[in-house]
Amino acid sequence: MVHISCSGMGMLRRPKPTDSEADLLREQDHFLTSGVPSAASVVRRPDKRRGEAGEEDGEDGGSQRDVVTIEDLPEEMPSLTPAPPKKSRFKASRVTFEDEDAEERLDRHDTHISAILSKIVERDTSSAPISLPAFTGLAFPKVMHRSETNNQMLLSTAGGKKSIFARHIAAQRLKERKTQLQSPSEATPETKMDVDQCAAAGHQPCPVSGPRLVSGQGLRGPDSSGEIMRIHRENQANLQSMSQAEILEEQNKLLSQLDPRLVEFVRSRKAQSGPSSASPSKLPKNKSSKEDPYVHHESRDSSSAYRSIQEPPEVEMEGEKEEDVEEEQEESPPKPAITEKDLPVKPQKDWVHMDKLEPEKLEWMRDLPAPRRKETKKAMQARFDFAGTLILPSEDLPTHLGLHHHGEEPERAGYSLQELFLLSRSQVIQQRTLALSTLANILSKARAGEYLMVLKGSMMSTLLDAGLIFLLRFALDDGVEGVMSAAVYALKALLVCAEDEECLDCTFSWFRGLTSFPLLPSASKEEDEEDEGLDESMKETAKEKEEKKSDHDVTRQDVVKGLLKMKLLPRLRYILEVVRPSPRVIQDVFEILTRIARHSSSSATQVLDCSRLMETVISEFLPISWKGSTSLQPQSIYGLPLASAMKLCRVLATSGRHACARLLNSLAVRERLSCLLSAEPTELLLDPNEALRITTEAYRLWAVAAGYGQACQLYLDLYPALLKTLQSVHRVLLSSDPLLPLQLQRLLALVSLLTQVTHTAGCHQELQAGMVSSHGDECLPPPPVSWGHVTGLHPSLLGHLKSFVKNLNDPGQKDCSLAVIPAYLVYLEAYYHQLSRQNCFRPVETLQELELLSSEVLLPLMCHIAVQDLMKNLKSSSVVCNAKAVPLGPEITPNLPGLACPGWRDRPGLVVSSSPFPLLIGLGLLLETITGIHKGLCCKFKGLLLSDHVIGYLRSCIQATPTLSHTKAWLLRHEHHLLYLLLRLAHRLVPMQPDVAENAPLYHQVALVLLPWLLPGSEYLAHELLSTVIFNRDFILEGHSGGPEAVELGELKLHEGTQQHTSVGSLLRQACVQMPSIRGCFLTHLAHLESSVLVSRDGLLGHNPWVNSHLLPELTGPILPYDWPFLPLIGLYERVGASDGGGLAVEDLPQGALQAVTHCLQWLLLLEVWRDEVLKVILPVAKLARLSCVFLCSSDLFLERPVQKLTWSLFRLLTRGSMLDSLDLNVPPPGLASFQDLYLALLAQYEAVSFGDRLFGCWVLLPLQRRYSTSMRLAVFGEHVGILRSLGVTLEQLSIPIERFTSPPEDSLPLLHLYFRSLVTGTLKSSWCPILYVVVLSHINSFIFSQDAAAQEVETARHNMLRKIYYLTNEVLKNHLLLFHLPQQHSELGFDMYEQLPPIRAKRLESILRLNNGSDNKRD
């Protein structure tokens, strides 16, 4: 408040208007020096409502300030981290430099306004019509009220969401326009821009008086509007005189000639036309939407393209292949507006603002339109219900299901993927939960392959590309437990396939069933290409590459690795430890962790290393003590042992010996095993199903640990409990027991455990001896269990096996017995294999025991009708034989590999109960072991090899070409092992049994095709095949039963009348004699696999203390390449030829190189003659490229006599009729960019070191056939024309018909010029290069006398070439060129000649010469 004081006013005067600035300053100084208080002062009045006391002193009141204080307010402003930084859209497009002057940049961008004004072009408005407002009798415009309802119905149906005021304005303008449309000359520009489509379509005059597109702007003159109407009437007359087909034809012609942007502009102007344009609803039926079909489809296509860019990718349904239907292109007539009678509730007068009906706002209350009745060819958006089931477009579902909404296509029920992605980010909790649950159901059905036949594209790939991983990862961090649980469920549906886990559990009791391949995606080729050509020191490690990649890049290559990078494990630990969710969520979390552990050993290590994760799992879900639950489905399972938690530990233990030791010791899993397995399942205070499952998983985990030689002390502690369980086997395996499947799995897990313990005990003696002889050096300690601890198990398990074999006669026990017999056979193999290595081994007693085993158990088992029925399914259950006939499987993406097991029970396969593979693998293993101990038992089991089912299966395997992938590799390794066991049995029987030896070539072919199929982890099997079967002369019957002689007889017929070469028969005979040396050569070149062979041997032979991991090597491909017979040759080229350019002499090559090449060529020759079916997997161009290394390795290796003989024979085999037809040099050989690159290297080597060798010359001539690329012929006659002087191969030496070089005639003009130049200059002569001389003569003769029409350039070249030939001074060459007739191999020249030119050719020559002379005279 301002208080005014009058004291001292007499001393000072007020300022006057006439005072200057100096006067005012002087008065101010006088006032300040006088000390008089100011006339007005500002004081703060107290607020009495707040109880403030006033201040008496004015000075004190003036010195105080109003200060607002807030408790707990920080002094500094908080940083707005959640808000994204604002970015300019234009800043990114500008490029600035640090050293650029800011003033120059301002001058460049801040131009003067004159530059802008100079670009303004004024539009010509001289002829633009001017419309005046309508005259009324009122002084002021009429005021419009909301109560006025005139024309409301008309305006509501006219279209557009407009307010009532806007609709009234539009109605008034419409009235004004109608008054002005009485004469054409007074039409407004908006009216003139309408095109009369109805007149063109129906040949009737249209009520619109002017054109829609032609505005007339730019026409000057008084009669411009009349000119416009004259043009318009002329267009109308032309349209009426044309038929509908002619109109459409002209329309399409215009559309094809015009710029698409211009067409789009015209259509947009048409679409924006005002109420004067004809509404589609007023046009006749079947014409409104068919006037411009191009527009209709164009707009639909453009809109879908826009959605695909702006929105997440959508999966579309595939339309049926039927005729187009009319319903798609017809527009239904407009519905009448909603009236008061249609309202469910009648408005009352006393309701505020409800007395006026607004139909547009009530449109949502209408009934939904009926769904389309028929399907069309055009793809439609896929929609799903809450269970993930695809909803057909024609399906009419009731609205109470909650599947209809107000999004796109409201008449269709269901949600699209885009809508589900949108709902998953909703602020409404229920919508987020529902969207994530629906996505989880869709993922489950997609993994099962239910959408493959009805959807276009891959559902899994579409979802992953749309960012599903990030969506689920963000949802896991949601604070609402329901949303988080739905996200866990969706993540489980994405990562885990329950049927994959079931199949792996079923094969656990098979031989080596506890091992598995890591589920790693295939390595990308881009990463390998990035490091190509760099030194090892400069290459980045895999860890450095991973750290540089973003989450998106990592996820795109590997989903599991991307989730680990996004800290999934700590979040799952938080969910288990803090959130403590429902039992279903806990089970889902364990399944996710199990899938992550199967990914790789590094992923399993991360699970173990995650802070408090495994501690929480062990303490909460594998307790040592617990209270029994009274409910079958408890609300909380914390504090109860879970089978899924035990399975997680088992999969983690599979990853490596160290991980297993951490689980057993650091995490105290050993005590959990003792607690769970020391009692019967019925005594565990658990649900019977859960009790059987968790004890089964406990046995499996123990078996994995025993596979490393660990947890053996536990065997000694629980030996009484194990014997008690074995004694109760027949009591629990009752066919009437509803828990029989679980009881069988528990028994199989127990037998697998005893098998591994037996293997570990068998190594005790060897480790004990090694410790004694080590003299203090570091060595492996022997396990606590010795051979004496396991011998007592053998009688009990053998008695079980005998009883199960007898139970095969009981139909009720047959299936159960067939399920458990394979595991018992594997146990017996482990027992007898380890028994033969012990000091206590007694040969005589063991042989008698084996004879009893064979006569009482194995032979009755093999001959039993049940087993014979199983063997009938060998081919139908085989993965190898049915590689191409596999039914449509589930969706598998490259970055998330799986086993493709959904639906495995409904189709034939290795795992189903009708498969004979587990039984035959167990039987083959046992036979391999006992026949090694007792040689005389082999003959008793020859019936297995001679069985029709086995013979037919082996023949089918020879013709098969299986593909390699994660979906098949886990089964292929078991089938490969069965084939190996059959071959090992054949190896023992072929030298002894003549009837088995008759099929020796079949077994040999199986061994040859099996070798390049073997996968990582089977290196020992490959080594055994190479050592025993593949190079065994007993399996090559042709070598000692007249095979070489038969080949020699065939050569006599083949080479009759031609030059004799070295006999192939004699070369084959030498190869058979040197077979041991050939075997040693290949084993030497595979020595780099020695470490892998030793690791594989330890696993396959049960050397458990030396096994480091039950996780097989990464699945990068087979052990050996399919072209392994060429390995010694390729290896020599890589060591010597590539680095030294092929310039080394034979003496300078590594020691034994000549011998290795000779043995390699001998083996290739033997395969080409007697096993050509096996080499069909190698392309002919690949064979040619590999054999070319003979010439590229050394400067004179190909001149060595044995190498030359063998290479000549191989060349003639490669150029046989059928083989030559299949030789396509346009296909790049595997490992090379193109064959042309290899051919250029051959040409350079030929020029340097060939010395005119005829064999090398044939190799150079082979690619010059007419059907191959012209570039190779251009290289010979261009930059390498010097080789023509030494390429002296004759027609008799070349085993390729000359017609393949001369037909069809050459059409390359540059090559023909080179041909002609080589002849004229004397570079190509018949004495130097007889074959190419004939070829060049043939092509030039055909060219100059060709009667085919050709371009002017070609015709001119013909005339010039013919004229030059006529004036040649070399008469011999001239006659050869003019009188050439046909190539003739037996002729002295190599071709036939005309005695004189035929009349047609003579006439052509005369005409060309006459024409040339005439042109010369004109020049003179």
Side-chain angles (χ1 to χ4, degrees):
M1 178 172 289
V2 179
H3 295 271
I4 300 178
S5 172
C6 295
S7 60
M9 292 293 293
M11 297 176 62
L12 300 174
R13 68 181 184 87
R14 292 179 178 275
K16 297 180 180 179
T18 56
D19 289 348
S20 63
E21 185 177 358
D23 296 333
L24 293 176
L25 291 174
R26 187 170 56 254
E27 290 292 333
Q28 178 182 355
D29 294 336
H30 179 60
F31 171 74
L32 292 175
T33 55
S34 64
V36 179
S38 60
S41 62
V42 179
V43 297
R44 177 175 176 269
R45 291 190 60 181
D47 192 347
K48 296 180 179 180
R49 293 173 296 180
R50 298 184 180 180
E52 295 180 354
E55 295 291 338
E56 296 293 336
D57 192 357
E59 272 186 342
D60 295 338
S63 64
Q64 292 181 353
R65 294 182 301 169
D66 289 334
V67 179
V68 180
T69 59
I70 301 177
E71 295 181 358
D72 300 331
L73 183 68
E75 296 182 358
E76 298 181 358
M77 290 183 62
S79 61
L80 302 178
T81 52
K86 295 183 179 180
K87 296 182 179 180
S88 172
R89 291 183 299 171
F90 309 102
K91 185 177 181 180
S93 61
R94 303 193 198 107
V95 179
T96 57
F97 301 94
E98 295 182 357
D99 55 349
E100 186 179 3
D101 190 3
E103 184 177 358
E104 294 181 0
R105 190 164 67 249
L106 279 176
D107 293 340
R108 185 169 62 252
H109 293 288
D110 191 12
T111 55
H112 194 263
I113 193 172
S114 60
I116 302 176
L117 294 178
S118 62
K119 297 180 181 179
I120 298 177
V121 179
E122 187 175 358
R123 188 176 63 179
D124 184 12
T125 59
S126 60
S127 59
I130 301 174
S131 59
L132 299 176
F135 293 96
T136 62
L138 301 177
F140 296 97
K142 182 181 178 181
V143 179
M144 293 178 291
H145 298 276
R146 291 173 58 89
S147 60
E148 296 181 1
T149 59
N150 297 333
N151 298 328
Q152 183 173 352
M153 301 302 296
L154 175 64
L155 293 172
S156 64
T157 59
K161 291 185 178 181
K162 299 180 180 180
S163 63
I164 298 177
F165 181 79
R167 291 203 299 268
H168 279 285
I169 291 294
Q172 182 178 0
R173 291 180 177 175
L174 181 61
K175 292 179 181 179
E176 295 175 359
R177 190 176 292 109
K178 287 182 178 179
T179 59
Q180 296 176 4
L181 288 177
Q182 296 176 358
S183 62
S185 61
E186 297 176 0
T188 61
E190 289 81 0
T191 306
K192 293 179 182 180
M193 292 178 64
D194 295 338
V195 176
D196 198 350
Q197 290 284 346
C198 58
H203 303 285
Q204 297 293 334
C206 186
V208 181
S209 57
R212 296 179 184 174
L213 293 177
V214 182
S215 62
Q217 293 185 6
L219 292 178
R220 298 187 178 183
D223 197 21
S224 60
S225 59
E227 183 68 18
I228 296 170
M229 291 308 300
R230 187 186 66 78
I231 296 173
H232 178 58
R233 284 192 293 270
E234 183 179 347
N235 292 337
Q236 292 276 18
N238 291 335
L239 287 174
Q240 292 179 6
S241 63
M242 298 170 65
S243 64
Q244 184 70 17
E246 293 174 342
I247 291 177
L248 292 177
E249 181 181 356
E250 292 296 328
Q251 183 186 34
N252 293 331
K253 186 184 299 184
L254 280 175
L255 291 174
S256 63
Q257 294 175 353
L258 294 176
D259 187 357
R261 291 178 295 179
L262 178 60
V263 175
E264 188 66 27
F265 169 74
V266 173
R267 287 182 178 139
S268 65
R269 294 295 297 268
K270 174 187 174 182
Q272 295 172 4
S273 59
S276 61
S277 61
S279 176
S281 61
K282 295 182 181 181
L283 295 178
K285 190 177 182 181
N286 297 334
K287 292 184 179 181
S288 61
S289 63
K290 294 183 179 180
E291 290 296 333
D292 196 352
Y294 186 88
V295 176
H296 178 71
H297 294 293
E298 175 81 15
S299 61
R300 182 158 48 179
D301 293 342
S302 62
S303 63
S304 64
Y306 177 79
R307 285 199 303 271
S308 66
I309 296 174
Q310 299 292 335
E311 300 167 356
E314 279 294 345
V315 178
E316 295 179 337
M317 297 180 61
E318 293 183 352
E320 300 286 340
K321 291 186 177 180
E322 55 184 43
E323 298 296 329
D324 292 334
V325 292
E326 297 180 356
E327 285 80 359
E328 280 299 311
Q329 299 196 9
E330 290 184 0
E331 292 185 7
S332 58
K335 296 181 180 180
I338 292 182
T339 61
E340 190 172 339
K341 297 179 181 180
D342 300 330
L343 297 178
V345 179
K346 308 300 179 185
Q348 304 296 327
K349 294 183 179 180
D350 53 348
W351 291 356
V352 180
H353 302 303
M354 291 297 291
D355 54 341
K356 199 70 175 176
L357 209 63
E358 298 184 67
E360 290 183 356
K361 296 182 179 180
L362 300 175
E363 283 294 326
W364 66 275
M365 298 179 63
R366 287 184 181 274
D367 292 336
L368 291 173
R372 61 187 70 184
R373 297 180 182 177
K374 296 182 181 180
E375 299 176 0
T376 63
K377 292 181 180 179
K378 193 168 184 65
M380 293 161 286
Q381 195 177 49
R383 293 188 174 275
F384 307 88
D385 63 8
F386 299 132
T389 305
L390 187 68
I391 300 177
L392 299 178
S394 58
E395 192 170 357
D396 192 5
L397 298 178
T399 56
H400 67 80
L401 297 177
L403 297 173
H404 293 82
H405 50 83
H406 300 289
E408 296 180 359
E409 302 176 319
E411 72 278 3
R412 288 185 57 190
Y415 289 82
S416 65
L417 294 181
Q418 173 209 344
E419 292 163 351
L420 291 173
F421 269 60
L422 185 64
L423 286 178
S424 64
R425 300 189 295 272
S426 170
Q427 294 186 357
V428 181
I429 297 175
Q430 291 82 355
Q431 289 182 344
R432 298 202 301 272
T433 306
L434 188 64
L436 292 171
S437 301
T438 306
L439 284 173
N441 295 330
I442 292 173
L443 285 169
S444 300
K445 293 183 181 295
R447 287 190 69 96
E450 296 186 14
Y451 301 136
L452 291 178
M453 298 298 294
V454 293
L455 292 183
K456 185 191 301 181
S458 172
M459 171 68 75
M460 296 288 293
S461 300
T462 301
L463 289 172
L464 291 176
D465 293 342
L468 177 66
I469 294 296
F470 300 94
L471 177 69
L472 298 181
R473 183 61 189 90
F474 297 154
L476 279 178
D477 293 335
D478 201 299
V480 180
E481 183 177 346
V483 178
M484 181 197 61
S485 302
V488 171
Y489 177 50
L491 189 60
K492 191 263 293 187
L494 173 67
L495 296 179
V496 182
C497 180
E499 292 176 297
D500 288 357
E501 294 294 331
E502 289 179 12
C503 288
L504 289 175
D505 292 343
C506 289
T507 59
F508 184 86
S509 60
W510 294 14
F511 179 73
R512 298 286 292 162
L514 53 84
T515 61
S516 61
F517 286 105
L519 295 179
L520 278 168
S522 301
S524 63
K525 297 180 180 179
E526 299 177 359
E527 297 182 1
D528 300 337
E529 292 176 357
E530 289 177 0
D531 292 340
E532 188 175 357
L534 296 178
D535 296 335
E536 292 295 331
S537 59
M538 298 179 63
K539 291 183 179 179
E540 294 181 340
T541 62
K543 186 176 181 180
E544 293 174 346
K545 292 180 180 178
E546 290 295 332
E547 292 176 353
K548 288 185 177 181
K549 292 181 182 177
S550 63
D551 293 347
H552 172 72
D553 294 334
V554 175
T555 305
R556 188 165 50 87
Q557 296 177 1
D558 191 336
V559 171
V560 174
K561 194 174 290 185
L563 287 170
L564 293 175
K565 187 177 175 65
M566 289 188 280
K567 308 297 182 184
L568 174 66
L569 295 178
R571 184 59 184 173
L572 294 181
R573 190 269 311 162
Y574 175 83
I575 292 173
L576 292 176
E577 184 182 27
V578 179
V579 180
R580 302 174 74 88
S582 62
R584 197 202 75 169
V585 178
I586 294 173
Q587 297 287 356
D588 292 345
V589 170
F590 282 138
E591 292 184 25
I592 292 171
L593 291 174
T594 303
R595 175 60 180 84
I596 293 174
R598 289 196 185 277
H599 175 266
S600 62
S601 58
S602 62
S603 299
T605 303
Q606 291 187 53
V607 174
L608 286 171
D609 292 340
C610 182
S611 177
R612 302 198 312 277
L613 174 59
M614 289 308 299
E615 288 81 356
T616 302
V617 171
I618 300 299
S619 61
E620 296 289 351
F621 305 106
L622 288 176
I624 295 180
S625 61
W626 62 90
K627 295 181 180 180
S629 176
T630 58
S631 173
L632 295 178
Q633 295 181 350
Q635 297 296 323
S636 175
I637 54 177
Y638 279 84
L640 294 176
L642 293 183
S644 55
M646 186 65 73
K647 182 177 181 178
L648 171 62
C649 295
R650 188 245 298 180
V651 176
L652 289 172
T654 307
S655 64
R657 168 185 294 273
H658 179 62
C660 184
R662 288 180 62 182
L663 286 169
L664 292 175
N665 302 319
S666 301
L667 296 174
V669 174
R670 189 193 309 269
E671 289 76 8
R672 272 70 180 176
L673 292 178
S674 178
C675 176
L676 291 170
L677 299 178
S678 59
E680 291 290 330
T682 55
E683 302 172 359
L684 293 180
L685 301 179
L686 293 173
D687 176 67
N689 292 297
E690 186 66 20
L692 288 175
R693 289 192 183 96
I694 195 168
T695 52
T696 301
E697 287 299 334
Y699 280 131
R700 288 172 178 166
L701 172 57
W702 192 1
V704 171
Y708 298 122
Q710 300 175 0
C712 292
Q713 183 62 40
L714 194 61
Y715 168 79
L716 301 178
D717 299 337
L718 297 182
Y719 186 76
L722 294 177
L723 285 183
K724 183 180 178 181
T725 304
L726 287 176
Q727 292 171 359
S728 62
V729 165
H730 293 288
R731 178 172 51 84
V732 298
L733 295 181
L734 299 177
S735 58
S736 59
D737 189 359
L739 301 178
L740 179 61
L742 296 178
Q743 294 283 8
L744 285 175
Q745 291 294 324
R746 179 169 177 266
L747 175 59
L748 292 173
L750 174 59
V751 176
S752 300
L753 164 65
L754 299 179
T755 302
Q756 296 301 326
V757 172
T758 302
H759 277 304
T760 302
C763 300
H764 180 276
Q765 177 180 297
E766 182 181 353
L767 289 174
Q768 186 71 32
M771 178 175 289
V772 172
S773 61
S774 64
H775 303 293
D777 295 338
E778 185 176 353
C779 62
L780 289 174
V785 60
S786 63
W787 185 249
H789 294 137
V790 298
T791 53
L793 298 173
H794 176 255
S796 178
L797 291 174
L798 182 58
H800 290 174
L801 178 60
K802 292 179 180 179
S803 63
F804 286 134
V805 173
K806 292 180 181 179
N807 289 340
L808 291 176
N809 298 319
D810 184 3
Q813 298 288 333
K814 185 182 71 171
D815 294 338
C816 176
S817 300
L818 288 175
V820 298
I821 285 176
Y824 280 86
L825 294 175
V826 173
Y827 164 77
L828 288 179
E829 184 274 334
Y831 175 80
Y832 287 113
H833 173 72
Q834 298 296 341
L835 175 63
S836 62
R837 302 173 58 198
Q838 306 302 317
N839 293 333
C840 61
F841 175 61
R842 298 177 181 178
V844 178
E845 295 180 2
T846 305
L847 294 181
Q848 294 175 354
E849 184 180 342
L850 292 179
E851 289 179 356
L852 288 175
L853 175 66
S854 301
S855 59
E856 295 179 2
V857 180
L858 299 183
L859 287 175
L861 174 65
M862 192 176 69
C863 300
H864 199 279
I865 185 63
V867 177
Q868 293 298 319
D869 290 340
L870 281 181
M871 293 179 64
K872 295 178 182 178
N873 302 324
L874 258 176
K875 290 175 62 175
S876 61
S877 303
S878 169
V879 180
V880 171
C881 299
N882 300 301
K884 297 182 179 179
V886 174
L888 200 61
E891 288 192 26
I892 300 295
T893 55
N895 55 353
L896 189 62
L899 305 184
C901 293
W904 63 277
R905 291 186 178 89
D906 303 328
R907 61 175 185 260
L910 262 70
V911 192
V912 295
S913 58
S914 61
S915 169
F917 281 91
L919 180 62
L920 290 180
I921 291 173
L923 183 61
L925 277 169
L926 185 55
L927 293 181
E928 166 68 11
T929 299
I930 65 175
T931 55
I933 299 173
H934 193 330
K935 310 294 184 183
L937 293 177
C938 298
C939 302
K940 295 184 178 181
F941 299 100
K942 67 178 182 179
L944 180 62
L945 284 179
L946 297 177
S947 169
D948 294 338
H949 306 301
V950 174
I951 294 296
Y953 167 67
L954 295 179
R955 286 175 178 164
S956 299
C957 289
I958 295 174
Q959 306 297 329
T961 54
T963 56
L964 182 61
S965 63
H966 279 284
T967 60
K968 297 178 182 179
W970 70 284
L971 291 175
L972 281 173
R973 67 186 185 96
H974 293 293
E975 188 165 358
H976 293 166
H977 203 82
L978 174 62
L979 291 171
Y980 166 78
L981 293 172
L982 292 175
L983 293 174
R984 288 289 297 172
L985 183 59
H987 172 251
R988 299 188 190 277
L989 288 172
V990 165
M992 302 166 55
Q993 297 295 320
D995 49 352
V996 178
E998 293 178 359
N999 295 318
L1002 173 63
Y1003 305 138
H1004 193 234
Q1005 291 183 33
V1006 173
L1008 289 172
V1009 299
L1010 174 62
L1011 185 63
W1013 289 352
L1014 292 176
L1015 303 176
S1018 302
E1019 290 84 0
Y1020 179 71
L1021 303 185
H1023 178 269
E1024 289 298 302
L1025 286 178
L1026 290 169
S1027 303
T1028 59
V1029 179
I1030 289 181
F1031 297 104
N1032 193 334
R1033 288 188 59 185
D1034 294 335
F1035 287 87
I1036 308 176
L1037 293 183
E1038 298 87 348
H1040 49 79
S1041 61
E1045 290 77 10
V1047 174
E1048 289 175 346
L1049 290 175
E1051 288 182 327
L1052 290 177
K1053 296 181 180 180
L1054 186 64
H1055 300 293
E1056 186 177 355
T1058 62
Q1059 180 181 353
Q1060 293 294 326
H1061 298 274
T1062 304
S1063 172
V1064 177
S1066 62
L1067 295 176
L1068 290 172
R1069 194 177 295 108
Q1070 295 174 10
C1072 291
V1073 172
Q1074 297 183 4
M1075 195 60 67
S1077 300
I1078 296 175
R1079 177 181 58 194
C1081 168
F1082 277 90
L1083 289 176
T1084 302
H1085 279 82
L1086 295 176
H1088 63 282
L1089 297 175
E1090 182 180 2
S1091 59
S1092 301
V1093 170
L1094 294 177
V1095 172
S1096 175
R1097 183 196 63 182
D1098 292 337
L1100 290 168
L1101 299 184
H1103 300 167
N1104 290 347
W1106 289 272
V1107 175
N1108 289 321
S1109 176
H1110 294 310
L1111 209 59
L1112 296 172
E1114 182 180 351
L1115 188 64
T1116 56
I1119 301 170
L1120 296 178
Y1122 64 92
D1123 58 350
W1124 66 269
F1126 295 89
L1127 280 181
L1129 195 55
I1130 298 174
L1132 180 62
Y1133 171 73
E1134 291 177 346
R1135 281 184 295 164
V1136 179
S1139 58
D1140 297 323
L1144 293 180
V1146 174
E1147 295 80 9
D1148 300 328
L1149 294 177
Q1151 186 177 3
L1154 176 60
Q1155 195 82 3
V1157 171
T1158 303
H1159 291 327
C1160 178
L1161 295 176
Q1162 286 176 330
W1163 179 242
L1164 289 171
L1165 181 63
L1166 187 146
L1167 293 179
E1168 282 289 349
V1169 176
W1170 289 332
R1171 299 290 183 265
D1172 58 331
E1173 291 289 332
V1174 176
L1175 293 181
K1176 282 187 176 179
V1177 295
I1178 307 177
L1179 295 175
V1181 64
K1183 296 179 183 179
L1184 185 66
R1186 270 59 173 168
L1187 287 174
S1188 300
C1189 295
V1190 172
F1191 306 100
L1192 299 176
C1193 284
S1194 169
S1195 61
D1196 56 354
L1197 178 64
F1198 58 92
L1199 297 176
E1200 295 293 328
R1201 187 168 182 79
V1203 175
Q1204 182 121 146
K1205 291 179 180 179
L1206 292 166
T1207 310
W1208 263 120
S1209 300
L1210 288 169
F1211 179 78
R1212 289 198 296 273
L1213 291 174
L1214 286 177
T1215 53
R1216 288 172 296 182
S1218 59
M1219 184 69 74
L1220 194 58
D1221 292 336
S1222 60
L1223 181 60
D1224 186 4
L1225 301 185
N1226 297 322
V1227 177
L1232 295 175
S1234 66
F1235 185 83
Q1236 285 82 354
D1237 298 338
L1238 175 65
Y1239 187 67
L1240 293 177
L1242 282 172
L1243 291 178
Q1245 185 78 347
Y1246 184 87
E1247 278 186 307
V1249 301
S1250 70
F1251 303 106
D1253 180 65
R1254 299 296 186 264
L1255 173 61
F1256 204 165
C1258 290
W1259 222 266
V1260 171
L1261 288 172
L1262 175 62
L1264 300 182
Q1265 298 176 61
R1266 179 64 182 88
R1267 66 191 185 103
Y1268 297 137
S1269 174
T1270 310
S1271 60
M1272 291 185 283
R1273 298 192 291 277
L1274 287 171
V1276 171
F1277 286 89
E1279 52 192 279
H1280 296 283
V1281 70
I1283 68 174
L1284 299 178
R1285 188 177 182 86
S1286 58
L1287 203 57
V1289 181
T1290 63
L1291 291 174
E1292 292 80 9
Q1293 292 171 336
L1294 185 66
S1295 57
I1296 305 173
I1298 192 65
E1299 289 77 15
R1300 290 182 176 269
F1301 295 88
T1302 60
S1303 179
E1306 185 62 61
D1307 55 0
S1308 173
L1309 199 57
L1311 183 56
L1312 288 168
H1313 284 306
L1314 290 177
Y1315 283 169
F1316 186 67
R1317 186 179 68 178
S1318 65
L1319 287 174
V1320 173
T1321 58
T1323 308
L1324 179 61
K1325 294 183 179 181
S1326 177
S1327 57
W1328 294 345
C1329 188
I1331 291 180
L1332 290 185
Y1333 185 79
V1334 176
V1335 172
V1336 170
L1337 285 180
S1338 175
H1339 284 304
I1340 292 181
N1341 183 268
S1342 300
F1343 176 70
I1344 60 177
F1345 290 114
S1346 175
Q1347 301 294 327
D1348 298 335
Q1352 182 63 34
E1353 180 185 4
V1354 176
E1355 198 65 32
T1356 304
R1358 285 176 181 168
H1359 294 177
N1360 292 337
M1361 195 174 294
L1362 186 56
R1363 181 176 55 83
K1364 291 178 182 178
I1365 292 173
Y1366 182 78
Y1367 290 114
L1368 278 176
T1369 58
N1370 188 342
E1371 292 294 331
V1372 176
L1373 178 59
K1374 174 182 176 181
N1375 291 332
H1376 287 175
L1377 287 170
L1378 293 177
L1379 301 178
F1380 180 87
H1381 183 202
L1382 288 174
Q1384 181 57 255
Q1385 182 174 359
H1386 303 292
S1387 174
E1388 181 182 357
L1389 295 175
F1391 56 92
D1392 291 338
M1393 296 176 60
Y1394 292 107
E1395 294 182 1
Q1396 60 181 3
L1397 275 178
I1400 297 179
R1401 294 190 173 189
K1403 185 177 180 180
R1404 176 176 177 80
L1405 177 60
E1406 183 182 354
S1407 63
I1408 292 175
L1409 293 176
R1410 187 185 310 114
L1411 179 65
N1412 184 69
N1413 293 333
S1415 60
D1416 292 342
N1417 293 333
K1418 289 180 180 179
R1419 292 194 198 99
D1420 295 339

